[in-house]
Amino acid sequence: MSAKTEASEALEAEGSIVEDTATAKNQEVPANAVNVAPKKKEPPPESPASIRLRQYVIASFWAIIILVGLPIWWRTTAIYRAKLPLDQMMDWADGRACRPVFPLRISIEADALQDHEAQHLLRTTQHALDDLNEFSAHHLRLQLSQPANASVETTGLSAGAGDEEVALTIRLLPGTTTQADLQAYSPILDIQYTPNQVPSSSSSASSLANYIANTLRGLFAEEQAMIAYLLSTSSAPPERSPKALSPDVAESLARWTTRSLKYSRTYHLTFSLFTPAATPSSWDIEAALEEYMKPLLASFSEISNFTIDTQVQLYATPGVSGNVLKKEDLSGFINAAEWPLSPSIGGAPTVNFILYVGDMEVEGGGKSWLIPQWGGVVIQSDISDLRPAMLIFSNQLMSLLGAPEAGSLPLRLMTLVRVRSAGLLLKASGTMGSLARLTLALPSISIPRSVAEGVYTTIEHLRKACDGLGGKEGLENARIAEEAAEKAFFEKSMVGQVYFPDEHKVAVYLPLLGPVGVPLVMGIVKEFKAWRKRRRESR
Amino acid sequence: MRQLQSLLFILGFFFSGQTTASDYHEQLLLRPLHPSLLLASFNFQSNTTWASFEQQNFRYFPRSLGQILQHANTRELHLRFSLGRWDAESWGARPWGGAREGGTGVELWAWVEAETDEEADGRWLTLTNALSGLFCASLNFIDSTRTTRPVMSFQPSGGHNDSTLENLHLLHGTLPREVVCTENLTPFLKLLPCKGKAGISSLLDGHKLFDASWQSMSIDVRPICAEGETECQLQITQTIDMVLDLQRSKRPRDNPIPRPVANEELKCDTSKPYNSHDTCFPLDTAAQEEGWSLSQIFGHSLKGSCPLATDGADPVCINVPHARHVFTSAGAHEHKDPNGYLRCFELSPDGEFDLTLPDQDITEKAPLEQPLLYAERSFIGYGQESGGVQAILTNPSPTESVDFVYMESLPWFMKLYLHTLKAKINGKDKPVIQEMYYRPALDRKRGTQLEVRILIPANSTVVLTYDFEKAILRYTEYPPDANRGFDIAPAVITIGNVSIRTTSLLLPLPTPDFSMPYNVIILTSTVMALSFGFVFNLLVRRFVAVDEADQWDLRAVRLKIAAAGKRILGRFGSGKGKVENIKKVQ
């Protein structure tokens, strides 16, 4: 623009000179003043050769700019964007790539029954179970236990299942009453039945089969609800998720998800003793951990490992005062500014367990509470016996890790494996979807090769996890997938480009592009006008 | 005189010998310095057995630091935060023999266990990053250019077993630019078992500590293995030393602006002939000891003793002549050292403790210990291109010579010319350099490391000089306040167990004009555009005589613009389609 005004000013100056000469003439011949106007002298007509030469010059300038300048600029400012399998990523995110199915094998041990009786019982129970189940992703499959296996294989119910893990063994024992008894430390359900309950081979239903089916359903109801909830909160297609959960179940499951920590291969547990004064300054934590905590942690060893540290902190005042703690005070009880509860530095998530020495009580009774995704607090005035506190801590740890509340320990752990695998699988899939959407939404961010590698690793492990869902390998694969997905999504070098916008580049180039561009553009415009004029005249 | 030498040292060794008896020890030593200054040395020491450290059962040892040490495989750690300058001429030898202080800013050295140098570097990086988070200091800026591996200056002080000793790597880093402040004190206090709530640590307050003329905070972690005992222990020693100006500290916090003494409170020399109600010559107060009390100096009194310190040591000691009046609050017992200048106080576990020393005319002073060496270092030379450093090292002892190691770690942009390194003794060239270790700098990778062992005969002065060249940094390598200059870490002088640090130096480097890149872009663009336009117009324009040129009819243009304006106004509401036409008309 400025070049244009300068040019016009220059022309104006020339014009005024011409006018001056004209006025000088006017003074000489005042009589002719009205008729005399500055008359323009036409330049000699331009030869076609020079016109062509000029056109060539302009064309060659533009050719250099377009053929050399623009490609160089394009190449040097281009952002590297690795190719991502966007379709596959969206498939995973929308649940099209994997249909999470949890086939649970349940073995029936019925030594007291005849072979055909057992077969019949198995079939009728399976029917009863299938009738009860509305959720296809979670499926219980019965089989007869090993001694009777040879004949079972022919039925096709459990073909090729010999190497798969058995989730639960049902032992059918003849007795006087009908009752189910879940063993506390092994995945065995003892069911006693009365002899008259054994179904005859002709009847299609039996009370024993119904009883077994109902008991099993009761046992796995919580797990089913958990997986159903996970599926319903993910972006899986709605027809995949089961019919809506009842509001109170959904609410308790929502609490369960907010409470439980993110899954990790290793957790770090910190046990802290906080006292408001100088005493007590020591506790017998080593023995207590050895006795009450280590056995529990050992049983977790296939899911997660744990490292432990303990500390004693004196003169620790809580964030709230008063002897009766109100519910709303509990969140402020931890004095985050003063209490040294920094997370461990190894990268494993830290779970804090705090034993506070004092007489306080939570409003409405109780002396302990759980802080979601962080840890637990127990208030105890006498710390000579650490057993009650340790038992509470164990319970808190179970719920922080996301284990279901009912059932025996082995069953809860196995459920935890399945639920965690499903959760990680869905989370990694969701991250893939987010990454795909981000890639499409922000064309200016770079996508380094490491992100593409992360995406391929994720998809590979997601596929493996999906095939082996429910087992320990599935969990491991899902964990690797989730880790790779998060790493790819939070790649640092992707973000940097967002803060280098195009306006910035233009601002830097403008001092060059402006003064160079204006003569170029003006040249082409002028030439175009002249060409049009010539054409009109020639017509 | 000899027995008083390094009073703190004696105290320190006395208690460190007793460490197995108790796990926690704390002590405050007060020492008035001339003129009207007070040196307060806080010492906190706790032990943990190696077994419970390995199992991460922390009682007195801070968990946060313990985890870091384990994670970074650090066997011995020394961390220093310092501020100000110790005036050796009038204050005498340094507390703890200089062993518990660092150069201005932050200094860190550690023995890291690792198989290879690369592994050690990795662990050092972990260590600095973790400590940076723990102490809210920029320790993460100790990168390879600020890290050295001293050869002669530092020796491991702990009892390491021979197998670990082979794999230990000493790494040393300094941050002379770091400003030590309250945010470093708060995490420091959190590491103490009594946390500033009871015991001598209750006196510590950021307002007073960082208002001191000189202050130094230190953390030392070292393993100790007693002879004949199978189980080793890990000891953490935290100290804070500060030199407070009594008059400055006594100013009330709500009214801190110093005001002139009221006329009636002035002590005038009435023997002067001109002395009158409005003329006063102040009396010489050298013989007058200024009165002070703990609560005046530190803002509040001491809140009882820390009940964890059960080693029987008196928590508060003061080093004044026995003739000086010292009053304490009730409940405290005084123990006087019969043949010295030391008295200690046993405190009651609860109840406040205050120590008051009134104004007193007393000529007797507790003797000051003479330092082994006076050291000062300064820049010489001029210009933006090169410069020099001169270190003046004086041995004040009339009888004994001093053998010491002088260590410099210089940044890479200060390029040392080793051939210019000269040591003159009492103005004469004599060979005083016994041994030298030199590791030259690599640009942007590592700094210069220079260790020189020098022997100074009695009553002599050695002047060490060397020249250097200033490198020109890249545009992005300058800090935001580039014109302030670059801090050069203090030199470390090691004489056996005693160490002395010089002050840090401020090196001005040639600083560019930081708007330069934009100026360059604009200037180059203008030149390029000018030449381009010139060439382009030469090629494209047709040259005609003046009277043949197109003339710019100003009136016609004006008329055209007016018409266009009218048309715009007229058609403004009638749709966007016509805007194109208007543009063409223009």
Side-chain angles (χ1 to χ4, degrees):
Chain A
M1 282 305 277
S2 65
K4 196 175 174 181
T5 50
E6 270 171 37
S8 70
E9 272 169 13
L11 283 172
E12 225 175 286
E14 276 176 33
S16 67
I17 293 166
V18 175
E19 268 179 334
D20 280 349
T21 52
T23 46
K25 277 180 193 167
N26 286 354
Q27 281 169 353
E28 280 171 31
V29 201
N32 286 349
V34 184
N35 294 335
V36 173
K39 187 76 185 161
K40 195 183 132 193
K41 207 163 100 189
E42 280 300 318
E46 229 174 336
S47 69
S50 72
I51 291 174
R52 206 170 307 125
L53 181 68
R54 188 159 67 232
Q55 282 171 348
Y56 282 150
V57 168
I58 292 175
S60 61
F61 267 103
W62 278 101
I64 289 173
I65 286 169
I66 290 164
L67 297 178
V68 180
L70 277 182
I72 288 178
W73 176 78
W74 188 259
R75 281 297 293 272
T76 49
T77 59
I79 302 162
Y80 179 75
R81 279 168 77 87
K83 217 167 136 9
L84 297 182
L86 292 177
D87 293 339
Q88 281 188 57
M89 289 159 79
M90 292 311 291
D91 282 353
W92 277 100
D94 297 340
R96 286 193 295 270
C98 171
R99 199 183 136 85
V101 178
F102 298 86
L104 295 188
R105 311 224 146 257
I106 289 160
S107 171
I108 295 180
E109 212 173 277
D111 297 341
L113 290 181
Q114 294 287 322
D115 200 25
H116 69 275
E117 281 176 341
Q119 291 280 351
H120 182 68
L121 180 66
L122 186 78
R123 261 195 300 275
T124 45
T125 317
Q126 185 70 54
H127 276 301
L129 268 176
D130 291 349
D131 289 345
L132 282 171
N133 198 4
E134 308 136 340
F135 182 32
S136 59
H138 195 268
H139 188 65
L140 303 176
R141 273 201 229 163
L142 301 178
Q143 65 180 66
L144 282 185
S145 63
Q146 214 58 37
N149 216 13
S151 58
V152 172
E153 270 176 28
T154 55
T155 65
L157 260 178
S158 55
D163 55 335
E164 272 188 47
E165 269 183 86
V166 174
L168 182 70
T169 307
I170 299 175
R171 281 202 302 217
L172 289 178
L173 307 165
T176 46
T177 53
T178 312
Q179 63 174 35
D181 186 18
L182 187 65
Q183 298 216 347
Y185 297 107
S186 51
I188 294 174
L189 179 71
D190 289 333
I191 289 185
Q192 294 192 344
Y193 61 96
T194 48
N196 59 351
Q197 280 179 313
V198 177
S200 62
S201 51
S202 58
S203 63
S204 61
S206 90
S207 60
L208 181 59
N210 278 337
Y211 179 74
I212 295 173
N214 277 322
T215 317
L216 283 175
R217 205 175 126 62
L219 270 181
F220 288 103
E222 194 177 0
E223 179 179 333
Q224 269 198 11
M226 281 173 163
I227 290 173
Y229 180 75
L230 281 178
L231 283 176
S232 70
T233 50
S234 80
S235 56
E239 74 270 16
R240 187 77 44 80
S241 54
K243 68 171 194 182
L245 297 155
S246 67
D248 52 329
V249 174
E251 197 189 322
S252 81
L253 286 170
R255 272 212 301 277
W256 162 72
T257 29
T258 49
R259 190 173 58 214
S260 52
L261 285 151
K262 185 174 162 276
Y263 175 75
S264 155
R265 193 71 191 89
T266 312
Y267 289 100
H268 185 81
L269 309 184
T270 296
F271 293 87
S272 314
L273 174 74
F274 281 89
T275 57
T279 51
S281 69
S282 65
W283 54 338
D284 196 13
I285 184 70
E286 272 167 77
L289 284 178
E290 205 58 50
E291 195 172 347
Y292 304 111
M293 204 46 89
K294 291 276 169 71
L296 175 71
L297 299 184
S299 64
F300 264 103
S301 62
E302 285 186 330
I303 304 172
S304 295
N305 291 327
F306 296 88
T307 53
I308 299 180
D309 71 11
T310 68
Q311 63 172 341
V312 181
Q313 293 294 335
L314 312 178
Y315 296 102
T317 42
V320 289
S321 53
N323 260 342
V324 178
L325 300 166
K326 291 196 192 110
K327 286 249 159 67
E328 56 267 27
D329 287 348
L330 296 185
S331 58
F333 184 84
I334 303 295
N335 192 346
E338 284 186 23
W339 293 6
L341 291 168
S342 48
S344 79
I345 59 168
T350 305
V351 190
N352 286 284
F353 293 108
I354 289 172
L355 178 59
Y356 189 82
V357 181
D359 279 334
M360 295 160 168
E361 193 169 281
V362 182
E363 194 182 37
K367 290 196 163 210
S368 67
W369 65 93
L370 183 137
I371 301 171
Q373 302 191 11
W374 191 83
V377 182
V378 171
I379 296 179
Q380 198 173 315
S381 53
D382 176 29
I383 59 152
S384 56
D385 181 18
L386 291 173
R387 189 185 139 84
M390 284 297 143
L391 295 183
I392 296 171
F393 286 154
S394 320
N395 256 329
Q396 287 174 337
L397 180 65
M398 287 294 277
S399 26
L400 284 168
L401 293 178
E405 284 171 5
S408 69
L409 185 66
L411 281 188
R412 285 167 81 186
L413 291 181
M414 276 195 274
T415 302
L416 185 62
V417 171
R418 289 188 285 266
V419 170
R420 283 300 196 184
S421 322
L424 288 172
L425 186 81
L426 293 172
K427 198 169 169 220
S429 309
T431 312
M432 282 293 103
S434 310
L435 184 59
R437 281 192 295 276
L438 181 80
T439 311
L440 294 174
L442 293 177
S444 69
I445 64 166
S446 77
I447 296 166
R449 195 161 290 138
S450 62
V451 171
E453 278 164 16
V455 168
Y456 284 114
T457 317
T458 309
I459 288 176
E460 185 197 335
H461 283 277
L462 275 178
R463 200 164 289 139
K464 281 187 194 162
C466 188
D467 292 343
L469 209 57
K472 266 132 206 162
E473 274 140 48
L475 179 67
E476 185 61 19
N477 279 319
R479 185 184 64 78
I480 295 171
E482 201 264 348
E483 236 166 52
E486 293 290 303
K487 208 175 153 204
F489 189 77
F490 290 103
E491 172 66 41
K492 266 187 283 178
S493 53
M494 285 167 74
V495 192
Q497 293 292 330
V498 177
Y499 300 107
F500 190 54
D502 286 338
E503 296 91 294
H504 198 131
K505 289 177 212 158
V506 169
V508 173
Y509 294 142
L510 203 62
L512 178 67
L513 294 185
V516 170
V518 167
L520 277 174
V521 172
M522 287 306 288
I524 207 167
V525 166
K526 239 179 177 177
E527 204 48 45
F528 181 69
K529 272 184 180 166
W531 171 76
R532 224 167 46 172
K533 197 176 157 198
R534 275 199 305 277
R535 213 175 57 159
R536 214 179 291 151
E537 278 166 5
S538 67
R539 223 183 262 166
Chain B
M1 185 66 198
R2 224 40 192 140
Q3 69 178 8
L4 255 159
Q5 269 226 345
S6 190
L7 191 67
L8 285 159
F9 239 11
I10 296 166
L11 275 173
F13 277 123
F14 175 63
F15 291 113
S16 62
Q18 275 200 339
T19 41
T20 42
S22 170
D23 285 339
Y24 182 68
H25 157 76
E26 64 172 33
Q27 193 166 47
L28 165 65
L29 181 82
L30 300 161
R31 183 158 60 142
L33 296 172
H34 194 71
S36 84
L37 293 163
L38 176 72
L39 168 68
S41 299
F42 294 81
N43 180 30
F44 311 91
Q45 196 169 67
S46 49
N47 291 347
T48 182
T49 58
W50 190 254
S52 62
F53 176 72
E54 291 273 277
Q55 286 178 4
Q56 307 208 16
N57 289 322
F58 299 110
R59 191 165 166 231
Y60 296 139
F61 198 91
R63 168 181 122 17
S64 44
L65 189 60
Q67 272 192 341
I68 291 172
L69 295 182
Q70 282 187 341
H71 196 74
N73 281 45
T74 306
R75 297 286 163 257
E76 191 176 328
L77 172 92
H78 303 272
L79 177 62
R80 305 280 185 267
F81 299 91
S82 312
L83 208 68
R85 169 180 169 265
W86 178 267
D87 182 5
E89 307 270 331
S90 45
W91 302 344
R94 288 144 191 269
W96 312 103
R100 301 278 169 78
E101 72 178 79
T104 308
V106 180
E107 191 173 336
L108 169 74
W109 68 99
W111 276 267
V112 177
E113 190 176 351
E115 298 283 327
T116 59
D117 279 0
E118 289 73 39
E119 199 182 16
D121 285 336
R123 285 174 179 172
W124 173 250
L125 191 73
T126 314
L127 179 72
T128 51
N129 279 302
L131 287 176
S132 161
L134 183 61
F135 289 103
C136 301
S138 321
L139 282 158
N140 51 331
F141 285 102
I142 299 185
D143 52 6
S144 66
T145 62
R146 293 196 167 99
T147 303
T148 54
R149 292 163 183 258
V151 176
M152 297 191 280
S153 295
F154 297 97
Q155 297 305 324
S157 62
H160 302 276
N161 25 336
D162 295 339
S163 55
T164 55
L165 212 53
E166 281 173 20
N167 289 332
L168 286 187
H169 295 256
L170 166 65
L171 291 127
H172 180 266
T174 50
L175 277 181
R177 197 192 176 86
E178 184 78 5
V179 179
V180 184
C181 202
T182 329
E183 76 268 17
N184 308 121
L185 177 69
T186 313
F188 184 94
L189 287 182
K190 268 195 201 175
L191 301 182
L192 298 171
C194 280
K195 290 193 184 53
K197 300 272 173 69
I200 58 170
S201 56
S202 62
L203 289 177
L204 291 168
D205 173 7
H207 288 99
K208 297 288 178 185
L209 176 59
F210 299 106
D211 194 36
S213 309
W214 174 85
Q215 70 89 10
S216 171
M217 295 197 283
S218 80
I219 293 172
D220 297 82
V221 180
R222 61 193 189 109
I224 41 172
C225 292
E227 291 276 327
E229 270 184 62
T230 49
E231 203 183 26
C232 288
Q233 288 198 313
L234 195 70
Q235 183 176 70
I236 176 168
T237 313
Q238 290 176 257
T239 62
I240 292 186
D241 296 277
M242 53 178 151
V243 174
L244 291 161
D245 186 310
L246 288 179
Q247 282 171 357
R248 191 177 165 83
S249 305
K250 283 198 296 194
R251 288 186 324 218
R253 193 183 277 186
D254 53 339
N255 185 15
I257 301 162
R259 288 168 211 286
V261 183
N263 269 356
E264 56 274 15
E265 284 172 30
L266 273 178
K267 289 184 179 119
C268 301
D269 190 349
T270 46
S271 63
K272 298 286 179 195
Y274 47 77
N275 184 56
S276 70
H277 70 281
D278 58 352
T279 319
C280 176
F281 185 83
L283 266 178
D284 184 18
T285 53
Q288 166 100 39
E289 280 288 332
E290 184 155 352
W292 54 272
S293 73
L294 276 185
S295 54
Q296 273 179 324
I297 297 287
F298 292 100
H300 47 81
S301 48
L302 209 155
K303 290 175 193 140
S305 63
C306 178
L308 301 178
T310 51
D311 59 348
D314 296 326
V316 180
C317 292
I318 184 164
N319 184 22
V320 288
H322 287 336
R324 183 90 166 94
H325 301 305
V326 177
F327 305 109
T328 63
S329 48
H333 297 282
E334 188 182 84
H335 302 282
K336 274 186 186 165
D337 181 18
N339 48 6
Y341 289 86
L342 188 69
R343 57 180 109 178
C344 292
F345 302 95
E346 191 187 322
L347 314 189
S348 67
D350 19 59
E352 308 244 308
F353 171 78
D354 199 0
L355 194 71
T356 309
L357 282 84
D359 285 333
Q360 192 179 359
D361 283 330
I362 179 168
T363 47
E364 191 190 4
K365 284 194 167 55
L368 283 179
E369 185 200 339
Q370 196 184 41
L372 291 173
L373 194 76
Y374 292 107
E376 59 181 281
R377 186 181 66 157
S378 54
F379 276 134
I380 51 175
Y382 52 86
Q384 297 263 296
E385 199 187 339
S386 59
V389 170
Q390 165 184 277
I392 303 171
L393 308 154
T394 310
N395 179 5
S397 160
T399 50
E400 284 174 40
S401 59
V402 176
D403 186 5
F404 64 91
V405 180
Y406 177 89
M407 184 182 100
E408 288 262 31
S409 54
L410 305 173
W412 64 266
F413 46 80
M414 191 172 158
K415 292 175 190 298
L416 165 70
Y417 292 132
L418 195 63
H419 72 276
T420 60
L421 180 74
K422 287 198 175 61
K424 281 190 175 183
I425 181 155
N426 297 335
K428 291 184 205 83
D429 281 321
K430 265 191 202 169
V432 287
I433 294 178
Q434 312 272 307
E435 204 180 336
M436 181 147 66
Y437 178 87
Y438 172 64
R439 193 166 186 245
L442 291 179
D443 277 5
R444 297 180 176 85
K445 290 217 180 69
R446 65 170 195 223
T448 308
Q449 180 188 349
L450 175 69
E451 283 178 271
V452 189
R453 198 153 70 80
I454 300 176
L455 181 82
I456 306 189
N459 209 6
S460 311
T461 301
V462 166
V463 179
L464 198 70
T465 55
Y466 58 83
D467 293 345
F468 62 87
E469 192 187 74
K470 297 174 187 179
I472 291 177
L473 299 187
R474 285 181 191 147
Y475 176 67
T476 48
E477 284 169 340
Y478 286 93
D481 54 345
N483 287 302
R484 179 180 169 269
F486 289 78
D487 293 83
I488 307 300
V492 181
I493 296 160
T494 315
I495 317 163
N497 283 328
V498 177
S499 75
I500 295 167
R501 278 168 179 81
T502 64
T503 50
S504 62
L505 293 174
L506 199 56
L507 173 72
L509 282 189
T511 319
D513 166 16
F514 287 99
S515 62
M516 182 182 66
Y518 302 102
N519 300 346
V520 167
I521 288 174
I522 287 166
L523 192 72
T524 341
S525 301
T526 313
V527 170
M528 281 171 73
L530 274 178
S531 52
F532 173 81
F534 184 66
V535 171
F536 186 76
N537 284 336
L538 265 183
L539 288 172
V540 166
R541 289 239 163 142
R542 190 183 171 203
F543 291 89
V544 294
V546 171
D547 52 349
E548 290 168 356
D550 280 338
Q551 277 164 27
W552 201 267
D553 190 349
L554 198 66
R555 266 169 297 177
V557 171
R558 213 180 284 156
L559 276 173
K560 267 187 181 174
I561 291 173
K566 259 182 205 162
R567 233 176 294 173
I568 290 171
L569 284 176
R571 297 187 189 180
F572 194 73
S574 59
K576 279 179 185 172
K578 279 149 194 168
V579 177
E580 285 254 312
N581 297 337
I582 298 162
K583 269 188 190 160
K584 269 181 195 163
V585 170
Q586 271 179 312

